[in-house]
Amino acid sequence: AQKITQTQPGMFVQEKEAVTLDCTYDTSDPSYGLFWYKQPSSGEMIFLIYQGSYDQQNATEGRYSLNFQKARKSANLVISASQLGDSAMYFCAMRLYVNTDKLIFGTGTRLQVFP
Amino acid sequence: KAGVTQTPRYLIKTRGQQVTLSCSPISGHRSVSWYQQTPGQGLQFLFEYFSETQRNKGNFPGRFSGRQFSNSRSEMNVSTLELGDSALYLCASSLASGATQYFGPGTRLLVL
């Protein structure tokens, strides 16, 4: 069965420092996509970054980068130069490309950025 | 371009009642998915629609139903509400099957 595991319930980081949020996944399908979403206290899920299973290079989007290690089945999110506004819940999710858009989410990591 | 909109944003109902939640996708998006988020169960997939057809359904009882209209707007209905249905209901849309999903602000449902 497909599964996403986020082992860090909470993380603290000082402003302007980098932080890595861990995500491991489990699937036997060769074709899948991995996503990271940010959820502020308002509730809306904000798309951050995407990595396809066949992508050769790690995805980057501004201050966000995805450290994709396929053999280890990990897709860690790296946030560089943290800002106070980065404080939120972060969810890792996976989608299989089998005629569905269904996302399987991890339990999330609460990130708190302090001055 | 406007994002995904969901109405209402907040809702209070009592057990046994039914509720209808609405989702308007980003203009041009044809795929809509619904998720339930609770502190205990996390984010769980409810169902997804593409071109008015339900393509996939999560492991929820038949009290949960949905539909999609020709303009891609979607509604979900929960009948005979239970206390455990209290949750944040999130809708997401994507341009096409396989594209990135963008979420709306959610509807917070409280069942008393």
Side-chain angles (χ1 to χ4, degrees):
Chain A
Q2 294 78 30
K3 188 177 180 181
I4 293 283
T5 301
Q6 294 180 255
T7 57
Q8 305 157 313
M11 290 283 286
F12 287 89
V13 65
Q14 191 168 28
E15 201 176 6
K16 301 180 184 176
E17 297 294 310
V19 63
T20 298
L21 306 184
D22 294 341
C23 171
T24 58
Y25 61 92
D26 187 20
T27 181
S28 56
D29 266 84
S31 183
Y32 52 88
L34 296 160
F35 301 79
W36 278 91
Y37 286 87
K38 171 185 177 181
Q39 187 177 43
S41 56
S42 59
E44 182 173 358
M45 298 284 280
I46 302 167
F47 166 71
L48 295 177
I49 197 166
Y50 163 80
Q51 179 86 42
S53 58
Y54 296 114
D55 293 343
Q56 295 297 314
Q57 296 196 340
N58 287 342
T60 60
E61 290 283 353
R63 295 187 298 111
Y64 305 107
S65 61
L66 200 152
N67 184 1
F68 182 46
Q69 298 188 43
K70 197 169 182 176
R72 299 178 64 180
K73 293 190 174 180
S74 74
N76 298 338
L77 175 71
V78 180
I79 305 175
S80 63
S82 297
Q83 302 172 355
L84 296 178
D86 293 334
S87 295
M89 282 291 290
Y90 288 80
F91 290 94
C92 179
M94 175 171 62
R95 184 182 67 210
L96 303 179
Y97 291 98
V98 284
N99 197 34
T100 179
D101 281 345
K102 171 184 174 181
L103 287 171
I104 301 162
F105 285 91
T107 51
T109 296
R110 180 170 297 281
L111 176 66
Q112 295 191 58
V113 181
F114 60 93
Chain B
K1 186 182 275 191
V4 178
T5 58
Q6 292 187 244
T7 56
R9 293 291 312 280
Y10 303 91
L11 205 50
I12 300 176
K13 291 285 188 179
T14 56
R15 279 182 300 173
Q17 287 187 310
Q18 74 165 17
V19 66
T20 299
L21 311 182
S22 180
C23 171
S24 293
I26 293 171
S27 178
H29 284 197
R30 295 170 62 192
S31 177
V32 173
S33 299
W34 289 88
Y35 296 84
Q36 181 197 63
Q37 185 177 24
T38 60
Q41 299 298 317
L43 280 150
Q44 296 187 89
F45 170 78
L46 279 159
F47 24 63
E48 65 173 307
Y49 291 89
F50 184 78
S51 294
E52 301 180 66
T53 301
Q54 185 180 90
R55 290 198 308 174
N56 202 357
K57 190 177 191 300
N59 189 24
F60 279 82
R63 300 185 297 106
F64 291 81
S65 63
R67 58 178 175 169
Q68 186 181 32
F69 302 95
S70 58
N71 61 358
S72 294
R73 190 177 70 86
S74 178
E75 288 181 347
M76 67 163 281
N77 184 276
V78 187
S79 62
T80 319
L81 284 166
E82 300 178 359
L83 296 179
D85 298 332
S86 295
L88 177 66
Y89 290 88
L90 292 161
C91 167
S93 76
S94 61
L95 186 60
S97 179
T100 295
Q101 292 182 55
Y102 296 90
F103 283 79
T107 294
R108 291 189 185 274
L109 171 65
L110 176 62
V111 182
L112 301 176

